[in-house]
Amino acid sequence: MIEKIWSGQSPLWLLLLPLSGLYGLVSNLIRLSYRLGLRKSWRASVPVVVVGNLTAGGNGKTPVVVWLVEQLQQRGVRVGVVSRGYGGKAERYPLVLDAQTSSTQAGDEPVLIFQRTGASVAVSPVRREAVQALQNLAQPQIIITDDGLQHYALARDYEIVVVDGVRRFGNGWWLPAGPMRERTSRLRDVDAVIVNGGTPEAGEIAMQLLPSQAVNLLTGEKRDANTLNDVVAMAGIGHPPRFFATLESLGVKPISQHSLSDHQALTEAEVAAFARPDQTLLMTEKDAVKCRAFAHANWWYLPVDAQLATPAADKLLSDILSLVR
């Protein structure tokens, strides 16, 4: 239903316009207060790159963060990543992740980034505290923030916006009548716009999410997804249909599909109920970080990697590398 409202297919969005107007007013006043110096942004001693979006829901932001971290690491740069840690609840903040940190503590996306890249990752609702923790412990040369485009309390040196190339900006209205956190005019101020799928517009960087082999949660065994039998698909991401479409493109035809809420906490009983022991449960990597502690032998996940079009991607990396002292 929410997709139909935000796309304008349902007239119910008109009833929410007063709330959207209020959201937009508050959002604009907050940003204006920082631009006028009425509120002060805190600046780190190393460059900060924000990877965020203008809309609510999954746009492919986390794969972009992973891609950026890996590209910088390959060039010898010590990278730190900070996040709000949405969906997690730690005993204290800031929380610097280690091999024992669970998604229950830190949130699924920070754990995924830590496991994929090995970079230093810290979470806190106050991102300044997460940055300071990394500076004290890991001494990174650059900080990447996973989300936080609208978190103006943290000064930034480079801004990247990730856009869903198929859904774009829906009906263009602020939450809750539409999907927008900020209006599209904000794109004029950012340094780069990356478009996940669809057809990029002038000046935008095209990106595709490329699936790898499916990975068994218990053993780490890898197989082509289309060789798995009796597949039941599960996706707890911002836009589950994207995962199901990826499976279809690989020739996987699930017996059933289960869409979960983004960042939804999962229990063994809930997940096990989706597939019988003789069936194969195939999930996203983001779901896998929440299920690994109680995984069954027939549970698999499908990693995806961001692939950005060159030479625009090379220019983006060059610009970011120039910030590193």
Side-chain angles (χ1 to χ4, degrees):
M1 175 58 75
I2 194 66
E3 290 288 340
K4 290 185 177 181
I5 292 174
W6 285 356
S7 67
Q9 297 177 30
S10 170
L12 291 178
W13 70 274
L14 295 170
L15 300 177
L16 299 172
L17 280 180
L19 293 176
S20 291
L22 180 61
Y23 182 99
L25 175 63
V26 173
S27 175
N28 286 334
L29 287 176
I30 290 173
R31 186 174 182 223
L32 183 62
S33 69
Y34 283 102
R35 296 185 67 178
L36 295 177
L38 301 177
R39 298 187 185 187
K40 299 295 184 182
S41 298
W42 179 81
R43 182 167 292 278
S45 60
V46 296
V48 171
V49 177
V50 171
V51 180
N53 47 39
L54 298 186
T55 60
N59 294 342
K61 172 179 52 60
T62 298
V64 171
V65 172
V66 170
W67 174 85
L68 183 56
V69 171
E70 291 178 337
Q71 292 294 321
L72 293 173
Q73 288 174 330
Q74 291 170 15
R75 290 160 176 79
V77 179
R78 293 191 309 276
V79 186
V81 179
V82 302
S83 170
R84 185 185 183 280
Y86 189 84
K89 188 174 182 181
E91 292 183 2
R92 62 181 63 88
Y93 292 103
L95 173 66
V96 179
L97 276 65
D98 60 30
Q100 284 69 49
T101 306
S102 68
S103 59
T104 304
Q105 296 169 301
D108 45 26
E109 290 168 347
V111 174
L112 188 159
I113 293 167
F114 177 78
Q115 292 180 350
R116 281 287 296 267
T117 68
S120 299
V121 179
V123 301
S124 175
V126 181
R127 288 178 177 84
R128 169 182 176 175
E129 296 178 353
V131 173
Q132 290 173 318
L134 289 186
Q135 288 181 313
N136 293 335
L137 293 174
Q139 298 182 330
Q141 295 171 281
I142 192 168
I143 296 288
I144 310 297
T145 76
D146 180 25
D147 210 353
L149 186 68
Q150 291 79 32
H151 186 73
Y152 294 110
L154 179 63
R156 66 287 307 268
D157 301 274
Y158 201 89
E159 293 182 324
I160 300 171
V161 168
V162 183
V163 176
D164 185 313
V166 176
R167 294 181 295 166
R168 298 292 296 189
F169 306 109
N171 60 17
W173 275 93
W174 289 295
L175 293 164
M180 306 299 293
R181 297 175 177 178
E182 294 182 279
R183 300 300 286 272
T184 55
S185 57
R186 178 72 169 85
L187 294 177
R188 295 196 294 263
D189 302 324
V190 305
D191 298 284
V193 179
I194 296 174
V195 178
N196 179 15
T199 303
E201 298 182 356
E204 298 177 341
I205 303 173
M207 179 186 92
Q208 298 291 331
L209 291 179
L210 302 181
S212 303
Q213 289 183 300
V215 181
N216 186 278
L217 269 72
L218 276 184
T219 67
E221 177 189 353
K222 296 181 179 180
R223 293 186 191 174
D224 291 339
N226 60 7
T227 66
L228 299 174
N229 298 317
D230 299 321
V231 171
V232 173
M234 181 186 91
I237 56 178
H239 189 53
R242 182 186 292 123
F243 177 67
F244 302 140
T246 298
L247 296 184
E248 183 178 351
S249 72
L250 295 174
V252 179
K253 298 180 180 180
I255 298 170
S256 60
Q257 299 178 166
H258 302 274
S259 298
L260 309 177
S261 300
D262 197 13
H263 306 292
Q264 180 177 329
L266 300 173
T267 66
E268 180 178 2
E270 290 171 337
V271 179
F274 291 136
R276 300 193 311 264
D278 61 328
Q279 295 175 329
T280 301
L281 182 62
L282 183 56
M283 64 186 72
T284 72
E285 186 175 13
K286 190 170 167 181
D287 295 310
V289 302
K290 296 183 285 188
C291 298
R292 188 167 278 115
F294 50 79
H296 291 197
N298 60 333
W299 292 6
W300 297 69
Y301 69 92
L302 186 70
V304 294
D305 295 297
Q307 183 181 69
L308 277 66
T310 56
D314 293 336
K315 174 64 166 56
L316 182 150
L317 286 170
S318 177
D319 290 344
I320 292 176
L321 285 166
S322 70
L323 300 173
V324 180
R325 294 187 288 274

